[in-house]
Amino acid sequence: MSAPLIRVDHLRCGYGERIVLDEVSFEVSAGEVLALLGGSGCGKSTLMKHMIGLYEPMAGSVEIGGDDLASASGDLRERILRRFGVMYQSGALFGSMSVLDNVRLPLESFSDLDAAAIELVARLKLRLVGLEDFAGFLPSELSGGMQKRAAIARAMALDPAILFLDEPSAGLDPVTSAGLDALIRRLAQSQGMTIVVVTHELTSINAIADRAVMLDREAKGIIAIGTPAELARNEDIRVQRFFLREADTP
Amino acid sequence: MDNAATLAPSPADSGTDYTLSGELDLAAASQLWPQARLLPDTTRIDARGVNRCDGAGAALLFDLARRGVHISGLDPALQHLIDALEPDKPLAGALPPSKQPLITRLGQWAQEWIADLTEQITFIGAASSALAGLVRRPRDLRWRDFLTQCELTGANALPIVALISFLIGVILSFQSALPLRQFGAEIFVANLLGLSLIREMGPLITAILLAGRTGAAFAAEIGTMKVNEEINALVTFGFDPIRFLVLPRLLAGLLMAPLLTVCAEVIGLAAGALVLEGFGIPFRTFVHQVTSFTDLHDLLGGLFKAAIFGLEVAAIGCLRGLSTGAGASAVGSSTTRAVVQTLVILVVTDGVLAVIYYQLGI
């Protein structure tokens, strides 16, 4: 196992006074696909937002490539931010720009490539996610699945070492969702990316994740961690319920 | 960057023209791309020394490969990256130019203008029909929404209306009192202020403030609802968006604009009275001058004008909100259009009403 690229150490996070997660610790190795899973409201997206530095932890730390994002500022923070790309749950594409321009924007702002090279790199990113023929479309003209693929292409624009994906399959039909899973797996293999994916889709977890961290709302933390197969065999009733898709109320 | 990729001529007996080695990442690709572009298409590159390559590096190799440059010795793991880009498949053509020829743009503009006009006429028809229906069945109005809109449009706008009208009253009276004092005619400032505020300035200033504050808010709120598909949700529930969203706002605009205008006029006149006190004209004289120079027709004419202005502000705000396109930028564009269009319509309406009042002898 290679050195950890992300280290979450005794993290406590929440909103205002409300603690959502406490004493969360785990590591993600380079090249690994890690799924953050759990039921609705367990803090998956909150954890991811702390990992990407959108929120400051109440306690503990998140290190990306050995650097603490929350305490970093100036050039160091810029450098840490370049290490990862994020696909938000809604895609969060810039609605006034074409799909190609969405991918081109970070390259124009943060690379020294000339215009022709930027055009080529951006088009190849779209080719990778199967959207080359939709380069000139506005995000509103794309389907939900296409928007998510475009958002992945944008997140990959600067070839970050890590890709954070927030609920990539949410709201998609099973076929589109499976296509997106295959894309994520292909990217992890061909580009050697480390991927942290927030999901509650069992099919996705089995299809893409090397390991999974399972969170629980009541426990306010991790209740299981391991490969999808290990989690499926876990004897904790809360994990079993999740994997058997059982409701926890009578 | 310790091991950035370099592109150097190969030794004479190596069988290749150039040797590419090192880490071919985004930064290295940015450096090497101009050099690589100058290479002839028949160049042979030995890429055995490339020990890392990211997406931008792969794009550079893709660019070379599609020109016919022969790249050999690439690590199989890195070759996988290039293969994922399907180098044999030609790239899609360039996007059509964003700037169309003049004649096409004129055609598009005319088409949009006609569509916009149609939308406005449809809206006016639907809103009028809903208003007429309300007269027959007042229970159709969502009264709670109406009261909320009255509070937002009227009570919440009062501080800014009061501030601006006070300042207008002070400025108008002070600036006109100075020259009139030379002729000993500063007492007529009360006449000037009373007539201009009650007939013109009061309704117009209130309407302009409402356009910037309330009309823009209507457009942004309804526009965001459109983007979030809340309007679609209303329609599928069987609610008419005109009755549900537009009517309470239209009526709030119609009712609150005259009330705010009265406040604006009273505060503006009080400010004028305060200034004239400084010029030695007592408050009672000021009131006498104003009441003797203006009559009920002036007041009612101004309030009718204010009601029309309020209706226009609300209607245009709602119309622009309902015609919002997709995306966040569309909401901004709708809000801007609502304010600009309202200001233009206000001035035009003011002119038309001035002519009508003149013809009626008001």
Side-chain angles (χ1 to χ4, degrees), chain A residues 190-202:
Chain A
S190 67
Q191 314 282 304
M193 281 179 166
T194 304
I195 298 181
V196 176
V197 54
V198 170
T199 184
H200 54 239
E201 302 281 340
L202 284 177

Side-chain angles (χ1 to χ4, degrees), chain A residues 89-107:
Chain A
Q89 207 174 115
S90 61
L93 294 165
F94 303 121
S96 57
M97 296 180 185
S98 70
V99 171
L100 183 68
D101 286 341
N102 264 279
V103 182
R104 220 162 19 188
L105 179 70
L107 288 162

Side-chain angles (χ1 to χ4, degrees), chain A residues 14-239:
Chain A
Y15 303 100
E17 295 290 302
R18 191 167 69 90
I19 296 171
V20 177
L21 293 168
D22 200 6
E23 285 297 319
V24 172
S25 299
F26 62 91
E27 293 176 345
V28 189
S29 305
E32 188 180 19
V33 178
L34 180 97
L36 298 177
L37 60 115
S40 297
C42 71
K44 303 184 294 288
S45 295
T46 304
L47 176 58
M48 197 194 89
K49 282 170 185 163
H50 280 77
M51 291 172 78
I52 60 177
L54 285 180
Y55 300 135
E56 232 172 86
M58 291 169 160
S61 63
V62 176
E63 287 179 9
I64 306 272
D67 295 311
D68 184 359
L69 181 55
S71 63
S73 59
D75 286 349
L76 177 61
R77 187 176 170 83
E78 284 281 307
R79 280 204 302 277
I80 301 172
L81 290 176
R82 292 289 92 75
R83 289 175 195 158
F84 60 82
V86 185
M87 189 216 85
Y88 293 93
Q89 207 174 115
S90 61
L93 294 165
F94 303 121
S96 57
M97 296 180 185
S98 70
V99 171
L100 183 68
D101 286 341
N102 264 279
V103 182
R104 220 162 19 188
L105 179 70
L107 288 162
E108 285 168 348
S109 308
F110 302 113
S111 82
D112 297 325
L113 293 171
D114 59 36
I118 286 173
E119 172 92 9
L120 180 67
V121 173
R123 280 184 181 280
L124 290 178
K125 298 289 179 199
L126 289 177
R127 174 176 284 190
L128 265 182
V129 299
L131 286 179
E132 192 188 352
D133 296 334
F134 296 88
F137 283 54
L138 288 173
S140 56
E141 295 169 324
L142 301 182
S143 70
M146 285 173 166
Q147 287 187 21
K148 294 204 174 188
R149 280 191 277 152
I152 292 177
R154 188 183 64 178
M156 295 193 316
L158 295 170
D159 292 309
I162 308 163
L163 207 53
F164 286 95
L165 310 174
D166 191 3
E167 305 257 15
S169 340
L172 300 181
D173 67 86
V175 177
T176 313
S177 175
L180 209 57
D181 289 342
L183 170 68
I184 293 166
R185 194 70 241 177
R186 201 170 69 235
L187 290 175
Q189 285 166 352
S190 67
Q191 314 282 304
M193 281 179 166
T194 304
I195 298 181
V196 176
V197 54
V198 170
T199 184
H200 54 239
E201 302 281 340
L202 284 177
T203 331
S204 294
I205 296 158
N206 290 319
I208 60 177
D210 296 318
R211 274 193 318 140
V213 169
M214 181 150 187
L215 304 168
D216 184 73
R217 189 172 52 181
E218 299 297 321
K220 293 188 176 177
I222 298 174
I223 54 168
I225 187 162
T227 64
E230 285 167 355
L231 257 60
R233 289 195 300 271
N234 194 300
E235 290 182 356
D236 188 317
I237 186 73
R238 295 165 297 183
V239 181

Side-chain angles (χ1 to χ4, degrees), chain B residues 60-126:
Chain B
L60 172 58
L61 295 177
F62 174 99
D63 195 26
L64 288 166
R66 70 172 176 162
R67 282 171 41 204
V69 171
H70 184 256
I71 300 165
S72 61
L74 197 62
D75 186 274
L78 300 180
Q79 185 64 47
H80 199 64
L81 260 178
I82 314 296
D83 293 344
L85 299 175
E86 303 174 75
D88 299 333
K89 190 174 147 190
L91 270 176
L95 297 179
S98 56
K99 196 159 189 182
Q100 303 284 350
L102 181 66
I103 189 74
T104 312
R105 278 184 284 150
L106 271 176
Q108 285 171 343
W109 179 82
Q111 203 175 14
E112 282 166 18
W113 187 79
I114 291 168
D116 195 41
L117 192 67
T118 311
E119 198 171 32
Q120 287 179 37
I121 293 168
T122 311
F123 177 83
I124 292 169

Side-chain angles (χ1 to χ4, degrees), chain B residues 12-313:
Chain B
D13 56 347
S14 64
T16 56
D17 303 313
Y18 281 86
T19 302
L20 183 64
S21 59
E23 292 188 6
L24 190 55
D25 58 9
L26 179 61
S30 309
Q31 298 296 318
L32 290 181
W33 218 308
Q35 185 189 350
R37 245 186 229 123
L38 299 175
L39 296 177
D41 294 351
T42 51
T43 308
R44 293 162 301 166
I45 294 179
D46 175 5
R48 274 177 301 178
V50 177
N51 48 28
R52 197 176 84 81
C53 180
D54 67 6
L60 172 58
L61 295 177
F62 174 99
D63 195 26
L64 288 166
R66 70 172 176 162
R67 282 171 41 204
V69 171
H70 184 256
I71 300 165
S72 61
L74 197 62
D75 186 274
L78 300 180
Q79 185 64 47
H80 199 64
L81 260 178
I82 314 296
D83 293 344
L85 299 175
E86 303 174 75
D88 299 333
K89 190 174 147 190
L91 270 176
L95 297 179
S98 56
K99 196 159 189 182
Q100 303 284 350
L102 181 66
I103 189 74
T104 312
R105 278 184 284 150
L106 271 176
Q108 285 171 343
W109 179 82
Q111 203 175 14
E112 282 166 18
W113 187 79
I114 291 168
D116 195 41
L117 192 67
T118 311
E119 198 171 32
Q120 287 179 37
I121 293 168
T122 311
F123 177 83
I124 292 169
S128 307
S129 156
L131 275 171
L134 198 64
V135 176
R136 289 197 305 273
R137 294 176 60 189
R139 289 184 66 182
D140 276 2
L141 182 68
R142 292 174 54 83
W143 286 96
R144 191 179 291 179
D145 284 356
F146 167 66
L147 293 175
T148 308
Q149 292 305 330
C150 284
E151 186 187 345
L152 294 172
T153 309
N156 293 0
L158 192 56
I160 184 70
V161 170
L163 176 70
I164 299 295
S165 49
F166 181 82
L167 291 174
I168 296 271
V170 168
I171 293 163
L172 260 183
S173 52
F174 191 75
Q175 292 296 346
S176 47
L178 284 176
L180 285 175
R181 188 167 60 174
Q182 294 174 22
F183 308 101
E186 60 264 44
I187 192 165
F188 295 110
V189 170
N191 305 31
L192 184 150
L193 197 63
L195 197 65
S196 60
L197 268 180
I198 290 170
R199 285 184 69 113
E200 284 294 337
M201 300 290 278
L204 199 59
I205 287 165
T206 308
I208 289 172
L209 288 172
L210 282 183
R213 193 185 172 279
T214 310
F218 286 173
E221 185 186 358
I222 297 177
T224 308
M225 289 178 77
K226 180 97 185 286
V227 171
N228 290 341
E229 295 193 283
E230 291 173 47
I231 306 283
N232 289 349
L234 284 177
V235 172
T236 47
F237 266 121
F239 293 116
D240 175 9
I242 298 283
R243 280 197 188 155
F244 197 93
L245 297 171
V246 177
L247 267 191
R249 288 166 173 80
L250 281 185
L251 290 176
L254 188 69
L255 190 68
M256 289 300 116
L259 288 179
L260 284 171
T261 302
V262 170
C263 295
E265 287 167 1
V266 170
I267 293 166
L269 287 172
L274 207 66
V275 170
L276 288 186
E277 278 279 345
F279 283 84
I281 296 169
F283 181 70
R284 279 177 71 177
T285 313
F286 178 87
V287 173
H288 178 259
Q289 281 299 115
V290 171
T291 49
S292 61
F293 197 68
T294 54
D295 58 19
L296 192 63
H297 287 110
D298 294 320
L299 181 67
L300 293 179
L303 293 184
F304 177 75
K305 197 185 277 188
I308 299 293
F309 287 167
L311 196 65
E312 285 174 347
V313 167

